[in-house]
Amino acid sequence: MSIHSTRRHLLGVLGAGGLALGAAACGSSDPFEEEDGSGGDSGSGSSDGGGSGAAIAIGSQAYYSNEIIAELFAQALEAEGLTVDRQYQIGQREVYMPELESGALDVLPEYLGNLLQHYDSEAVSATPEEVHSALAEALPDGLRVLDFAEATDQDSYTTTADFASAHSLTAIGDLAGVDEDLTIAANSEFEVRPYGPDGAKEVYGVDVSVVPVEDSGGPLTVQALVDGDVQLADIYTSDPAIAENDLVVLEDPESMILPQNVVPVVSEKIDEAAADAIDAVLAELSADDLVELNRRSTVEQQSSADIASAWLSEKGLV
Amino acid sequence: MNENPFLGALDWLADPMRWSGPSGIPVRTAEHLGYTALGVLVAALIAVPVGLYVGHTGRFKGLAVGAAGVARALPTLGLVTLFALLVGIGLTAPLLAFVTLAIPSLLAGAYSAVESADPATVDAARAQGMTEWQILTRVEIPLGMSLLVGGVRGATVQVVATAMLAAYVGSGGLGRYIFQGLGSQDYPQMIAGSLLVIVLALVLDLALLLLQRLTAPRGTVAP
């Protein structure tokens, strides 16, 4: 599914004014430069046995929310006295996963469903626990996932409070009783996703057609919903715009939508002490916390470092 | 599907299934051409009269050149997003952006068309007792017609190559293939969409070049 990396990918490509192709296309960072730079670090790291002396390289997707989570991990590790090398805003999963596999990166915040689909494109939706254990199987040697957080950042069928109360909607299945043509604003790939119109029909008996709005649940998608151009929108569940616009995320009792709980993927360089520090962050990271962290970035325009240090001290983690 | 995305794109294009239905290539191509024609037409209704006026009178030339330069520098994706936030999703927002994109070429084509007439010829027409309107329509425009068409050509090629952005905010056109291919890592589909846009741009460019040649008055140098 790769929602987050894809949306940055899209903007990067458009921003560059051309349509690049292939997995390495990435607007915001040069993957080869990253490779050279951090490859050197890893070389010096492995020369002293990859032990505790070398810096832990933390990467992030080119997605603001992902960078905030990476920064939470970074500061939590630093609080344990470890040295951290920040390698943020690496575009696509196709670019950074090989970096993790080669040992050039050691930690990267991921999302359960997206990461599983990267290794198993046939993966079907399931509970977070099931996806987590499937991931443990699917990851290549040398990589593992730590525990996942309650916080999730996944696709949704979201509607306005007015529409929900007018038709007594709480779950996606309730849409079957709505006696009008339903449209959902979403990126056009939503059309071919398992939780797209075909999934809604199959799992919940709901007919819905896609109105493509290509800003990945961003302001245009939200506005199309609020304006009433569409009745539904695919907005990522950690988006502060949901609360700000009094929107309602319809429940998905059948787990049609792939769960996207935050889960760190780490290399062998992460020992028990380091893993414990990261796990402590994950244990505190609730769904509401992630929305609030994002809000501090999108609404208050704070830097990821400031947001992370404030949140870690609020939670007593540093 | 072929491993190589370029060959995959050819396979994609060769599939007969793609050539029918409401999201088939003929429908998407017609939408794409429709958006282009509408954008260029609306822009021409604004820019050509202004350009002719500026070219004929010589007034406000600095302003017209400056405004055209600024409009050229505007990023079209930014404009589409901005207009869509103002007027909502649909065709209006991208159309406004395409009009903005097309105006500079049309404006420059129109005033340079009029300006290109030899001042001695224009003076001779005036001395014969032609009104200013007659000078414009019977002397300056016919003499500059190929430059005017050149402006239309520039605007059309720019808009047809950019009209994929209509799909960014809920409309159709060949952009649907490009965005869907990009979003679902279906690169053959994305490249096929791009190839179709490229072919359209080349065909329109050649057709309008031909028109430019045909409209060049005898005795002048064809472009």
Side-chain angles (χ1 to χ4, degrees):
Chain A
M1 173 158 63
S2 69
I3 43 175
H4 305 310
S5 56
T6 299
R7 77 175 86 168
R8 298 301 128 175
H9 182 201
L10 173 66
L11 291 176
V13 167
L14 289 169
L19 285 161
L21 46 113
C26 168
S28 55
S29 64
D30 180 350
F32 302 104
E33 201 174 300
E34 298 281 1
E35 190 167 33
D36 291 337
S38 45
D41 286 348
S42 133
S44 62
S46 55
S47 66
D48 57 35
S52 55
I56 293 172
I58 300 188
S60 88
Q61 298 177 349
Y63 170 43
Y64 77 96
S65 177
N66 193 263
E67 182 184 308
I68 295 171
I69 301 167
E71 184 62 25
L72 293 178
F73 297 163
Q75 292 188 15
L77 290 170
E78 281 174 341
E80 295 294 309
L82 296 162
T83 313
V84 166
D85 174 23
R86 292 170 172 80
Q87 302 276 348
Y88 295 161
Q89 300 286 324
I90 308 170
Q92 284 277 78
R93 196 164 278 111
E94 286 79 1
V95 175
Y96 64 68
M97 286 314 297
E99 297 288 285
L100 277 156
E101 288 165 26
S102 74
L105 284 175
D106 301 308
V107 182
L108 198 138
E110 261 290 359
Y111 305 91
L112 283 178
N114 285 343
L115 185 58
L116 181 58
Q117 283 205 326
H118 178 72
Y119 287 104
D120 178 9
S121 59
E122 303 295 307
V124 291
S125 191
T127 63
E129 290 76 14
E130 287 164 343
V131 174
H132 191 253
S133 53
L135 253 181
E137 299 278 309
L139 281 177
D141 290 345
L143 290 184
R144 63 188 172 120
V145 283
L146 303 181
D147 291 344
F148 61 89
E150 185 214 305
T152 175
D153 197 358
Q154 67 200 41
D155 294 78
S156 69
Y157 282 64
T158 293
T159 188
T160 59
D162 286 347
F163 192 78
S165 65
H167 296 92
S168 327
L169 305 174
T170 54
I172 299 171
D174 299 339
L175 291 167
V178 177
D179 191 24
E180 61 181 278
D181 289 340
L182 292 171
T183 51
I184 182 164
N187 274 18
S188 55
E189 64 264 26
F190 188 81
E191 187 86 52
V192 295
R193 298 296 187 215
Y195 48 84
D198 293 348
K201 177 76 183 157
E202 197 175 311
V203 178
Y204 293 109
V206 171
D207 286 300
V208 58
S209 56
V210 177
V211 174
V213 178
E214 307 285 349
D215 71 340
S216 300
L220 291 173
T221 308
V222 172
Q223 203 193 346
L225 179 62
V226 173
D227 286 351
D229 292 330
V230 290
Q231 296 78 41
L232 300 162
D234 176 14
I235 297 170
Y236 302 111
T237 51
S238 75
D239 191 332
I242 292 175
E244 267 160 40
N245 294 285
D246 202 14
L247 304 178
V248 177
V249 176
L250 297 178
E251 290 163 19
D252 176 26
E254 303 290 332
S255 296
M256 171 179 77
I257 298 167
L258 211 52
Q260 302 292 356
N261 301 63
V262 172
V263 66
V265 53
V266 304
S267 73
E268 282 168 342
K269 201 150 136 197
I270 300 301
D271 57 19
E272 281 315 303
D276 286 348
I278 295 172
D279 278 338
V281 172
L282 294 166
E284 287 291 331
L285 190 62
S286 72
D288 290 342
D289 282 326
L290 184 57
V291 174
E292 174 58 20
L293 292 170
N294 290 347
R295 200 187 62 79
R296 290 180 197 175
S297 175
T298 58
V299 179
E300 295 177 10
Q301 302 282 315
Q302 295 183 32
S303 73
S304 57
D306 290 347
I307 296 169
S309 62
W311 186 84
L312 289 168
S313 11
E314 276 165 36
K315 299 286 177 183
L317 290 165
V318 289
Chain B
M1 198 54 79
N2 206 294
E3 282 291 313
N4 179 318
F6 281 100
L7 297 177
L10 297 181
D11 285 348
W12 191 94
L13 287 169
D15 184 347
M17 291 287 288
R18 311 279 182 206
W19 291 86
S20 63
S23 58
I25 293 167
V27 173
R28 292 286 180 231
T29 304
E31 286 170 346
H32 201 93
L33 286 173
Y35 301 160
T36 305
L38 203 55
V40 173
L41 189 70
V42 173
L45 291 176
I46 298 164
V48 172
V50 173
L52 295 178
Y53 175 83
V54 169
H56 183 71
T57 62
R59 283 184 213 157
F60 308 116
K61 191 178 166 199
L63 188 65
V65 172
V70 169
R72 273 186 213 278
L74 291 172
T76 309
L77 177 60
L79 278 182
V80 170
T81 306
L82 181 67
F83 287 137
L85 286 172
L86 294 175
V87 304
I89 59 167
L91 192 54
T92 313
L95 201 60
L96 287 171
F98 301 156
V99 168
T100 312
L101 178 70
I103 281 178
S105 296
L106 290 163
L107 193 61
Y111 71 64
S112 57
V114 176
E115 271 188 346
S116 71
D118 186 337
T121 313
V122 174
D123 282 346
R126 199 168 278 130
Q128 283 185 324
M130 279 186 162
T131 63
E132 293 304 305
W133 179 252
Q134 288 172 325
I135 293 171
L136 180 67
T137 55
R138 297 189 191 172
V139 179
E140 289 171 330
I141 292 179
L143 285 175
M145 186 51 95
S146 79
L147 283 173
L148 192 58
V149 175
V152 175
R153 180 179 155 211
T156 304
V157 172
Q158 274 183 298
V159 174
V160 81
T162 313
M164 55 163 284
L165 289 180
Y168 191 77
V169 288
S171 294
L174 295 170
R176 292 286 282 269
Y177 300 137
I178 298 175
F179 282 115
Q180 188 164 343
L182 190 60
S184 53
Q185 272 101 52
D186 180 357
Y187 297 117
Q189 176 175 198
M190 185 184 88
I191 295 168
S194 311
L195 287 175
L196 289 167
V197 173
I198 292 167
V199 169
L200 274 193
L202 289 175
V203 167
L204 287 176
D205 192 37
L206 279 175
L208 288 167
L209 175 64
L210 206 63
L211 188 64
Q212 240 185 315
R213 295 222 165 128
L214 290 173
T215 51
R218 255 185 301 168
T220 60
V221 182

